[in-house]
């Protein structure tokens, strides 16, 4: 049965991916899209989604060649072992920094909206410890929790978004296609960072019990998130206008504050939105934490990942405390985004794929 | 569970069971002999100082050649069987048999066994241990001079409570029978509902001193073999003195003893047990207790009551949804109240905030202390109400709830809104059909209160997350506790048809995941599509 071998089903991976993709920068990406393309922000998002399909295709191709291996193993097989371990360490460092920054931004947001007088260290530490509790129980528990959380998060979110519609002014989207095409392309490239969590498929191989459907699953996840992102961008720009969107750090939060739900007794909806945000970020951080410990487990060829989780907690905690304020944290993310994050999305998988084909390694899956 | 096992094991190793007559498992080691006098002496030695041990030695045959010896425990047997079918036969009828004594003498044992006893249930045993066990179970044993074998006659007939309405699982529509303390009566109640030859009753004995009869009932071709094996292994994994109730057995075989949530369901209703068996689960019936265990169990099972299936789907779906909401309230309302009023009063409509502030103005304690105080007071009331007999118990409920609560509010110890919060929590916890699950939420409530009072809404969410993580990682006999809410793709989402809402009966045509994968279809209607 499904519980004896602790593998997750493909559907669960799909749900987890959706959750992860949704969380990276959902609150703020309309701003970045608007910065690049003004009122054509939604077109940039569509472009980013198309790019993400390419990433997904590449990554799932390489993963399907090595069904039982994670990135650690197949990079060691395809390229040499030391290069493989170096890349894996790089991967884990990148994930750690992402996780630490995400944690930091989350803490700032909670502090700002919910708990102004609480020290941010305690907010972050409590979230980290709860994530550690989940991660110690294994990936299957993560998957099951994701299944429950996805309902709790998405259904109210969509319902709340419906209430924004009275405030939308679609004329804010005009004129369309005024942004020059190269700029749109560059913008799409920059924006595709929101689909970065796709790279986690590189690691998920031995945990899933039916890898053949991986490609379809990743496409469904990207499409679903893509649609939501586009809708979100359209609504944000049409409500706030392209200039207004550029001025808010977190446009989606501002959106929540504008909504008036008639007859509901909850008045500060942005605090309500924080509930969903907390759940989303929790899911994302615990996924990242699991994969970091997973990579390290595979590098060290250890049996269990549990004992690596607890040492990770203080490390991530300290990293997240390094930036002095939220602007610096954002700068870090910008830096990561520009130079490093694309690495694992396209060049490295492509490289591995080409070398694997040349060296005829792995199971050749010419038929899909 | 490991600690429980170790404790039990340590206790056992200190016991000096091995004496002259018993071995390490408390089984009698005295041998049976062909000499009647020696057998009688051994038996009387075993039952020394037992005032309720009744025995009689009498001769049989026209010339009273053969001696026989009958023994039983007073009032455990049905005297009528002994007197009419046993003694009357042996003493009177057999004596009247014409004497071909030589032929008979050589096999007088077989003669008596086959022709002399007029009851339907006779067994033959050849150890003194089984004979002693038979006496202690309410059977009568017969020793015959010259033979090292014992005849056991089934004569069980001790006083019993009979079949009564179950007091804890009351339904408006549905059968009103409840299990009783006799194992055989309970298996009969289930048998009447499932007349399938594949319904098996596997019996074993647990407890070295109590030798409690435990029966596993399941349907052979529906049940999962791996769960059955796992259960069998768990039942023999420990050695305990005695089991007095299925609750002790439950704690010894459950998956995670640390969790506040029960992983095995107990029921007093035969229709619920029969329905579970039809789904592919296993019912564990323990002698001397009316509570039958149902294995494996998921969270969803605790929200289902028998009535859900006997009434129509729309009202029952509504009731189910209320139950799930009630479960959330039972754990979350005090924490939510604390979080909102202490940390985020801007989230509550202004008028309500003013009202709450006004009512809390003269209360000397901080909110947390108020809430915890009222919760503990309510737990006290609940406990007192359970222990007090009948009418006094319900009076205390009214007196305690209304009058003391009102007085506390007027004395400004608590504010009225806290009384409302605690009352809503308590009522919600009673709305969950199965009592065992309520305990889990009652305990978890305090964790959420603690976190909410420190971190506000963020703490409330952390508490909810911690509880969810725990629930999601629980397993009951390798079945995830949270199915059908997770991993329901395994059974094509069939299980979801019976969870938060209950779809009409003709839509639930497959069994849940408890049963074997190839034996899932249970309902086929003849309706054609365009009728």
């Amino acid at each position: 049965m499904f519980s004896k071998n602790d593998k997750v089903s493909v559907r669960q991976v799909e749900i987890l991916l959706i959750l992860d993709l949704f969380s990276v920068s959902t609150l703020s990406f309309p701003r970045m899209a608007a910065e690049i393309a003004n009122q054509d922000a939604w077109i940039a998002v569509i472009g980013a989604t198309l790019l993400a399909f390419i990433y997904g295709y590449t990554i799932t191709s390489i993963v399907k060649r090595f069904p039982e291996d994670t990135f650690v193993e197949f990079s060691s097989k395809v390229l040499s072992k030391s290069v493989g371990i170096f890349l894996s360490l790089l991967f884990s460092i990148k994930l750690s920094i992402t996780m630490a920054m995400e944690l930091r931004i989350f803490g700032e947001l909670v502090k700002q909206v919910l708990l102004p007088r609480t020290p941010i260290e305690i907010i972050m530490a409590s979230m980290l410890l709860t994530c550690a509790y989940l991660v110690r129980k294994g990936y299957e528990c993560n998957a099951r929790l994701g299944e429950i959380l996805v309902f709790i998060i998405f259904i109210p979110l969509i319902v709340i978004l419906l209430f924004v519609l009275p405030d939308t002014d679609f004329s804010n989207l005009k004129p369309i296609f005024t942004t020059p095409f190269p700029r749109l392309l560059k913008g799409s490239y920059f924006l595709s960072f929101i689909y970065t969590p796709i790279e986690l498929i590189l690691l998920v191989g031995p945990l899933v019990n039916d890898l053949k459907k991986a490609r379809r699953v990743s496409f469904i996840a990207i499409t679903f998130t893509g649609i939501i992102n586009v809708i979100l961008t359209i609504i944000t720009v049409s409500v706030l206008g392209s200039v207004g969107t550029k001025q808010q750090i977190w446009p989606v939060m501002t959106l929540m504050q504008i909504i008036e739900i008639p007859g509901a007794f909850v008045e500060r909806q942005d605090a309500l939105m924080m509930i969903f945000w907390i759940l989303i970020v929790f899911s994302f951080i615990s996924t990242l934490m699991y994969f970091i410990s997973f990579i390290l487990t595979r590098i060290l060829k250890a049996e269990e990942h549990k004992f690596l989780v607890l040492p990770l907690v203080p490390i991530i905690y300290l990293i997240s405390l390094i930036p002095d304020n939220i602007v610096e944290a954002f700068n870090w993310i910008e830096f990561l985004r520009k130079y490093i994050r694309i690495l694992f999305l396209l060049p490295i998988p492509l490289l591995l794929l080409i070398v694997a084909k040349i060296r005829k390694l792995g199971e050749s899956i010419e038929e899909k | 569970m490991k600690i429980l096992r170790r404790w039990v094991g340590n206790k056992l190793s200190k016991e000096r069971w091995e004496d002259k007559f018993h071995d390490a498992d408390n089984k009698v080691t005295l041998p049976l002999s062909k000499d009647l006098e020696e057998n009688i002496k051994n038996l009387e030695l075993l039952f020394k100082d037992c005032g309720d041990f009744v025995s009689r030695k009498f001769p049989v045959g026209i010339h009273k050649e053969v001696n026989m010896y009958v023994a039983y425990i007073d009032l455990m047997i049905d005297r009528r069987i002994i007197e009419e079918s046993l003694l009357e036969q042996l003493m009177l009828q057999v004596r009247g048999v014409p004497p071909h004594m030589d032929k008979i003498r050589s096999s007088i044992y077989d003669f008596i066994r086959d022709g002399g006893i007029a009851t339907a249930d006779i067994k033959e045993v050849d150890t003194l241990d089984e004979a002693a066990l038979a006496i202690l179970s309410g059977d009568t044993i017969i020793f015959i001079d010259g033979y090292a074998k014992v005849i056991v006659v089934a004569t069980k007939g001790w006083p019993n409570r009979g079949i009564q309405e179950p007091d804890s699982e009351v339904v408006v529509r549905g059968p009103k029978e409840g299990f009783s303390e006799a194992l055989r009566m309970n298996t009969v109640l289930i048998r009447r509902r499932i007349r399938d030859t594949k319904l098996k009753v596997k019996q074993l004995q647990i407890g070295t001193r109590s030798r409690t009869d435990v029966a596993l009932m399941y349907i052979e071709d529906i049940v999962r073999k791996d769960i059955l094996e796992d259960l069998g292994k768990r039942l023999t994994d420990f050695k305990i003195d005695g089991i007095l109730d299925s609750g002790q057995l439950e704690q010894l075989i459950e998956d995670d003893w640390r969790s506040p949530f029960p992983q095995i369901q107990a029921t007093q209703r035969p229709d619920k047990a029969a329905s579970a068996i039809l789904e592919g689960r296993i019912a564990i019936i323990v002698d001397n207790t009316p509570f039958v265990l149902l294995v494996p169990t998921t969270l969803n099972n605790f929200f289902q009551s028998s009535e859900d299936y006997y009434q129509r789907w729309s009202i029952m779906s509504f009731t189910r949804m209320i139950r799930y909401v009630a479960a959330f309230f039972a754990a979350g309302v005090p924490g939510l109240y604390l979080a909102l009023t202490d940390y985020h009063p801007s989230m509550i409509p202004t008028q309500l905030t003013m009202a709450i502030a006004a009512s809390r103005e003269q209360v000397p304690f901080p909110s947390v202390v108020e809430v915890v105080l009222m919760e503990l007071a309510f737990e006290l009331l609940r406990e007192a109400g359970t222990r007090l007999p009948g009418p006094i118990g319900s009076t205390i409920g009214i007196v305690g709830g209304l009058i003391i609560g009102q007085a506390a509010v007027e004395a400004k110890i608590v504010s009225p809104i806290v009384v409302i919060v605690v009352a809503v929590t308590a009522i919600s916890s009673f709305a969950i059909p199965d009592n065992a699950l309520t305990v889990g939420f009652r305990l978890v409530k305090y964790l959420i209160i603690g976190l909410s009072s420190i971190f506000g809404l963020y703490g409330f969410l952390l508490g909810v997350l911690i509880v969810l993580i725990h629930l999601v990682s629980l397993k009951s006999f390798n079945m995830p506790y949270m199915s059908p809410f997770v991993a329901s793709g395994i059974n094509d989402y069939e299980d979801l048809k019976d969870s938060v809402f209950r779809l009409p009966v003709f839509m639930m045509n497959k069994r849940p995941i408890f049963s074997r994968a190839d034996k899932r279809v249970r309902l086929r209607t003849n309706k054609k599509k365009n009728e």
Side-chain angles (χ1 to χ4, degrees):
Chain A
M1 260 210 53
F2 47 77
S3 38
K4 282 234 164 67
N5 52 10
D6 282 327
K7 286 199 176 198
V8 301
S9 73
V10 213
R11 177 176 166 270
Q12 288 173 322
V13 174
E14 178 185 333
I15 290 182
L16 279 179
L17 268 183
I18 293 180
L19 268 182
D20 293 341
L21 285 174
F22 194 63
S23 75
V24 174
S25 307
T26 311
L27 285 190
S28 57
F29 84 87
R31 163 172 59 90
M32 300 185 201
E35 275 173 7
I36 297 171
N38 295 322
Q39 63 271 20
D40 289 331
W42 56 282
I43 306 181
V45 175
I46 294 183
T49 316
L50 291 174
L51 267 180
F53 280 124
I54 301 181
Y55 300 152
Y57 187 81
T58 329
I59 292 182
T60 46
S61 308
I62 184 73
V63 169
K64 277 162 81 151
R65 278 188 162 254
F66 299 93
E68 287 300 317
D69 292 334
T70 64
F71 178 77
V72 181
E73 279 100 26
F74 62 67
S75 59
S76 308
K77 278 186 199 170
V78 172
L79 307 168
S80 67
K81 189 146 184 252
S82 46
V83 177
I85 294 200
F86 170 70
L87 282 180
S88 311
L89 278 178
L90 194 62
F91 201 5
S92 62
I93 293 180
K94 175 201 172 236
L95 285 180
S96 313
I97 300 186
T98 314
M99 182 178 155
M101 287 309 113
E102 193 67 30
L103 187 65
R104 177 59 186 264
I105 295 178
F106 164 75
E108 296 277 352
L109 199 56
V110 166
K111 190 174 160 77
Q112 186 178 332
V113 176
L114 285 179
L115 296 171
R117 288 187 294 193
T118 314
I120 192 171
E121 290 89 0
I122 302 200
I123 299 178
M124 295 198 298
S126 50
M127 173 57 87
L128 258 186
L129 287 174
T130 317
C131 290
Y133 179 43
L134 174 62
V135 170
R136 280 177 59 94
K137 294 201 184 272
Y139 195 59
E140 210 194 335
C141 293
N142 206 352
R144 288 188 212 147
L145 192 65
E147 279 190 76
I148 296 182
L149 284 181
V150 89
F151 280 108
I152 302 182
I153 293 174
F154 274 99
I155 296 181
L157 210 55
I158 297 180
V159 167
I160 290 183
L161 277 182
L162 286 177
F163 284 106
V164 185
L165 293 179
D167 282 323
T168 55
D169 183 9
F170 285 110
S171 60
N172 273 333
L173 288 174
K174 297 190 247 187
I176 331 179
F177 283 117
T178 49
T179 329
F181 202 61
R183 198 148 167 225
L184 267 184
L185 274 184
K186 209 164 85 148
S188 301
Y189 171 72
F190 273 129
L191 269 184
S192 58
F193 80 91
I194 48 181
Y195 296 101
T196 322
I198 288 279
E199 66 195 356
L200 295 175
I201 300 184
L202 285 171
L203 294 169
V204 102
L207 297 170
V208 183
N209 60 5
D210 185 9
L211 209 49
K212 285 189 277 295
K213 297 204 202 132
R215 180 164 292 161
R216 209 191 67 173
V217 150
S218 64
F219 282 173
I220 295 177
I222 297 177
T223 319
F224 187 72
T225 321
I227 294 178
I228 293 191
N229 284 342
V230 169
I231 293 179
L232 210 55
T233 318
I234 293 182
I235 292 184
T236 316
V237 172
S238 55
V239 171
L240 298 174
S242 70
V243 179
T245 315
K246 281 193 267 194
Q247 281 176 342
Q248 312 282 334
I249 303 185
W250 288 302
V252 184
M253 196 59 80
T254 319
L255 208 62
M256 289 295 147
Q257 281 167 343
I258 293 181
I259 297 177
E260 260 177 43
I261 306 183
F265 56 85
V266 177
E267 300 213 331
R268 273 190 66 202
Q269 285 91 341
D270 55 340
L272 197 62
M273 172 69 173
M274 280 307 293
I275 297 181
F276 308 125
W277 185 239
I278 292 176
L279 293 176
I280 293 175
V281 167
F282 168 78
S283 157
F284 184 55
I285 291 184
S286 49
T287 312
L288 282 181
M289 188 189 275
Y290 179 78
F291 281 122
I292 298 175
S293 65
F294 191 54
I295 296 181
L296 291 177
T297 319
R298 289 280 168 151
I299 293 181
L300 297 175
K301 297 213 187 337
E303 280 290 320
E304 284 276 318
H305 69 279
K306 286 190 189 165
F307 68 96
L308 283 172
V309 174
L310 280 185
L312 266 184
V313 170
I315 297 179
I316 306 280
Y317 179 65
L318 289 174
I319 299 180
S320 68
L321 283 179
I322 298 182
D324 284 331
N325 55 39
I326 192 167
V327 180
E328 232 191 275
F330 268 122
N331 284 346
W332 282 50
I333 291 194
E334 285 286 325
F335 173 77
L336 266 185
R337 190 161 38 100
K338 278 195 194 142
Y339 300 110
I340 306 190
R341 61 86 207 155
I342 187 66
L343 262 185
F344 288 96
L345 274 181
L346 197 55
I348 292 185
L350 208 55
L351 181 67
L352 286 174
L353 196 61
I354 296 176
V355 177
K357 275 210 172 120
I358 295 177
R359 289 178 61 181
K360 296 218 184 333
L361 284 173
E363 305 172 10
S364 64
I365 310 194
E366 249 69 54
E367 73 288 352
K368 277 192 197 161
Chain B
M1 186 158 144
K2 269 190 267 184
I3 294 192
L4 186 64
R5 257 194 250 148
R6 225 185 299 147
W7 181 82
V8 165
N10 284 341
K11 286 274 177 215
L12 294 182
S13 59
K14 293 200 188 91
E15 293 265 348
R16 310 286 297 158
W17 279 346
E18 291 124 356
D19 49 13
K20 276 184 292 185
F21 314 131
H22 299 90
D23 65 356
D25 279 331
N26 206 21
K27 290 207 162 81
V28 177
T29 50
L30 292 169
L32 273 182
S33 83
K34 292 200 169 168
D35 180 22
L36 186 66
E37 293 302 322
E38 194 177 324
N39 283 341
I40 294 181
K41 188 168 68 86
N42 282 341
L43 202 63
E44 314 240 302
L45 205 59
L46 278 178
F47 284 97
K48 193 174 69 152
D49 286 334
C50 293
D52 48 357
F53 180 72
V54 175
S55 60
R56 180 169 175 188
K57 182 172 149 191
F58 55 95
V60 181
I62 284 192
H63 303 293
K64 306 194 187 174
E65 304 97 16
V66 183
N67 280 327
M68 293 179 54
Y69 174 83
V70 160
Y72 59 88
I73 300 267
D74 192 15
L75 222 61
M76 255 182 127
I77 50 101
D78 186 358
R79 284 259 283 269
R80 228 168 10 107
I81 303 183
I82 293 209
E83 286 161 8
E84 286 174 16
S85 316
L86 207 65
L87 295 181
E88 182 183 329
Q89 295 287 322
L90 290 174
M91 291 168 128
L92 300 179
Q93 318 291 21
V94 175
R95 257 188 218 159
V97 168
H100 296 281
M101 270 325 285
D102 298 320
K103 188 168 65 154
I104 295 179
R105 195 196 300 274
S106 57
S107 60
I108 198 165
Y109 175 79
D110 297 321
F111 177 71
I112 291 182
R113 182 195 65 197
D114 294 335
I117 302 177
T119 56
D121 187 355
I122 289 191
K123 240 181 6 174
E124 193 179 290
V125 296
D126 45 14
T127 61
L128 200 57
D129 177 62
E130 288 168 298
L133 185 62
I135 296 181
L136 291 167
S137 309
D139 294 329
T140 310
I141 60 139
I142 303 177
F143 283 138
I144 301 183
D145 196 5
Y147 293 89
K149 285 196 273 197
V150 186
I151 300 181
V152 172
V153 182
T155 49
K156 292 191 173 96
W158 56 73
N160 191 287
R161 186 169 60 106
I163 296 187
Q164 293 176 347
E165 192 173 341
D167 46 8
S168 56
E169 294 165 70
V170 182
V171 297
V172 171
R173 173 162 181 179
K176 300 214 192 267
E177 282 179 329
F179 284 123
S180 124
E181 274 83 358
L183 182 93
R184 201 45 79 215
M185 221 179 266
N186 295 342
T187 49
V188 160
L189 282 173
I190 296 183
R191 275 239 187 249
R192 278 183 0 128
R193 289 167 166 84
I194 306 181
R195 299 194 198 173
D196 192 350
T197 47
K198 302 195 205 75
L199 173 67
K200 302 296 173 192
V201 181
K202 201 156 137 186
Q203 276 189 238
L204 41 132
Q205 284 179 352
I206 296 191
T208 41
R209 285 187 195 271
S210 67
R211 310 258 196 127
T212 316
D213 285 320
V214 170
L216 305 179
M217 290 186 81
Y218 55 91
I219 298 187
E220 200 178 24
D221 59 341
I222 305 180
V223 78
R224 277 188 195 263
K225 289 281 175 280
D226 51 341
I227 296 185
L228 200 57
E229 277 170 29
D230 193 11
L231 179 62
K233 192 166 96 54
R234 287 191 205 196
L235 282 173
T236 46
D237 235 351
F238 56 88
K239 225 194 222 183
I240 194 173
D241 243 2
I243 297 214
L244 300 169
D245 182 83
S246 50
Q248 287 176 299
L249 194 60
E250 171 188 346
Q251 289 167 58
L252 285 169
I253 60 176
E254 66 183 355
D255 281 78
D256 189 357
W257 58 270
R258 282 167 284 217
S259 164
F261 296 98
Q263 294 127 49
I264 298 179
Q265 195 180 10
T267 177
Q268 261 186 309
R269 297 182 57 90
D271 58 327
K272 195 161 180 183
S275 156
I277 295 179
L278 281 172
E279 280 181 356
R281 296 160 79 188
I282 307 173
I284 305 178
I285 307 171
V286 178
D287 200 11
N288 298 325
T289 173
F291 285 94
V292 165
L293 300 176
L294 300 172
V295 150
T297 308
T298 57
L299 187 70
N300 198 19
N301 292 125
F302 291 103
F303 286 95
Q304 297 167 337
S305 91
S306 317
E307 206 176 7
D308 288 357
Y309 305 95
Y310 309 146
Q311 305 242 30
R312 306 180 72 240
W313 70 278
S314 37
I315 184 64
M316 279 307 149
S317 299
F318 181 60
T319 315
R320 278 276 180 87
M321 282 191 263
I322 290 187
R323 283 190 201 139
Y324 277 96
V325 171
F328 175 68
F329 278 1
V333 162
L336 201 57
Y337 163 75
L338 277 177
L340 289 180
T341 55
D342 276 349
Y343 288 86
H344 318 286
S346 50
M347 279 186 77
I348 314 179
T350 333
Q351 282 174 321
L352 190 56
T353 321
M354 300 300 237
I356 296 179
S359 68
R360 287 204 57 224
E361 204 180 339
Q362 291 167 343
V363 175
F365 306 117
S367 280
V368 192
V369 176
E370 265 185 282
V371 169
V372 173
L373 208 62
M374 280 304 288
E375 288 285 348
L376 289 178
F378 191 83
E379 298 285 340
L380 264 179
L381 272 173
R382 192 201 287 247
E383 193 61 24
T386 333
R387 305 288 157 223
L388 289 174
I392 311 183
S394 46
T395 318
I396 287 280
I398 301 178
V399 169
L402 288 181
I403 300 184
I404 298 183
Q406 185 64 24
V409 166
E410 282 181 10
K412 302 279 187 274
I413 301 181
V414 294
S415 65
I417 188 84
V418 170
V419 174
I420 296 179
V421 163
V422 170
V424 165
T425 316
I427 294 177
S428 307
S429 68
F430 288 127
I432 303 176
D434 198 319
N435 207 18
L437 191 65
T438 319
V439 172
F441 287 121
R442 267 160 64 186
L443 292 175
V444 146
K445 173 175 64 174
Y446 292 106
L447 170 74
I448 298 186
I449 289 181
L451 279 173
S452 306
S453 59
I454 303 179
F455 288 117
L457 196 60
Y458 173 65
F460 175 74
L461 276 176
L462 275 189
V464 168
L465 272 175
I466 292 179
V467 172
L468 271 180
I469 296 175
H470 177 77
L471 279 177
V472 141
S473 64
L474 270 184
K475 280 190 185 164
S476 170
F477 284 81
N478 265 330
M479 193 119 341
Y481 197 61
M482 287 295 277
S483 7
F485 303 111
V486 298
S488 46
I490 304 273
N491 195 15
D492 293 329
Y493 308 101
E494 278 292 323
D495 291 356
L496 279 175
K497 291 185 186 168
D498 192 15
S499 58
V500 182
F501 31 79
R502 196 216 106 202
L503 288 185
V505 174
F506 62 85
M507 287 193 196
M508 302 198 291
N509 46 8
K510 281 206 185 166
R511 282 182 239 277
I513 46 171
F514 300 118
S515 56
R516 265 169 46 175
D518 50 345
K519 293 268 184 178
R520 291 268 167 91
V521 179
R522 63 175 165 185
L523 168 69
R524 244 183 242 130
T525 55
N526 288 332
K527 289 203 184 110
K528 294 205 185 46
K529 283 217 168 108
N530 42 8
E531 261 177 16

